[in-house]
Amino acid sequence: MQAAVLGVSVMAFMGWIRGLLLLLFTAAAARSDWKERKIRNQLNLYGVVAALLTGVLQWDAAQLADLLASSAVALALGFVLWKLSVFRAGDAKLLWCVGTFCGLHMLPQTLAAIFLAAGVCALVLMLRHHVLFRHLKRVGQYLWIMAVQRKFVPYPILENDPYAFPFAVAVMAGVWFTVILTGIQAMR
């Protein structure tokens, strides 16, 4: 009986630790992306290792399997979006890091919040710089090529796009929004 109570408290404690580490890693990635326009591989790798260690320290095989499955889903999604030129490789690896922290139960709402935050950031920037219709036309042409002409081509990236924003900021906003809404206890 006492071990079960201790086990629950260890799981809750590690959930809190995992949630706090996720907030810290996304803040560090956003800062790096904002200042340098680059997210270091080390930071993403440290994040994945920290997330997996919290799973190992819970001594729960199901929890660790959940984290590994979520990690694989997030890595695959990040890879596909990177290959489609939606964002850069560091952002794809950051999604991998976030997915490893979240677990499958938190991944869908976290990804939805991240992409919602990215859309809001992009919309605000395009409205601020009066380029919304130019970008919508460009996206429409791209979708036309993909859907009507049935050609799979990566989205053409504009080099040195002055209206680009660091995606890690949207990742941080989405993660923080999810944690605030669901509570850090949901990280268990």
Side-chain angles (χ1 to χ4, degrees), residues 50-64:
L52 292 175
L53 279 176
T54 60
V56 167
L57 292 175
Q58 285 182 324
W59 297 99
D60 185 4
Q63 177 70 27
L64 187 58

Side-chain angles (χ1 to χ4, degrees), residues 21-176:
L21 285 172
L22 175 60
L23 296 176
L24 288 174
F25 275 106
T26 56
R31 182 178 184 272
S32 172
D33 202 13
W34 184 270
K35 286 190 166 211
E36 304 171 20
R37 293 286 199 204
K38 183 171 181 64
I39 304 168
R40 303 272 177 217
N41 288 337
Q42 277 182 311
L43 181 63
N44 287 322
L45 187 59
Y46 290 156
V48 169
V49 169
L52 292 175
L53 279 176
T54 60
V56 167
L57 292 175
Q58 285 182 324
W59 297 99
D60 185 4
Q63 177 70 27
L64 187 58
D66 182 62
L67 293 178
L68 288 171
S70 177
S71 177
V73 168
L75 183 61
L77 177 66
F79 179 77
V80 168
L81 293 175
W82 169 67
K83 287 305 279 183
L84 287 172
S85 299
V86 173
F87 48 60
R88 300 190 188 276
D91 300 319
K93 289 177 267 188
L94 181 60
L95 276 186
W96 173 44
C97 179
V98 169
T100 306
F101 271 106
C102 288
L104 286 175
H105 66 287
M106 288 283 295
L107 189 61
Q109 62 256 38
T110 303
L111 289 175
I114 288 170
F115 292 121
L116 179 64
V120 168
C121 288
L123 183 62
V124 166
L125 280 174
M126 287 187 284
L127 287 171
R128 182 173 173 230
H129 295 288
H130 307 289
V131 294
L132 176 64
F133 293 111
R134 184 174 1 148
H135 279 278
L136 287 178
K137 180 180 176 187
R138 194 165 165 254
V139 168
Q141 290 170 341
Y142 174 71
L143 292 175
W144 174 265
I145 290 170
M146 294 282 285
V148 176
Q149 295 179 2
R150 296 183 182 174
K151 290 183 183 175
F152 176 77
V153 293
Y155 188 76
I157 296 176
L158 297 175
E159 288 301 319
N160 300 321
D161 186 2
Y163 310 114
F165 73 95
F167 186 72
V169 173
V171 171
M172 182 189 74
V175 165
W176 285 58

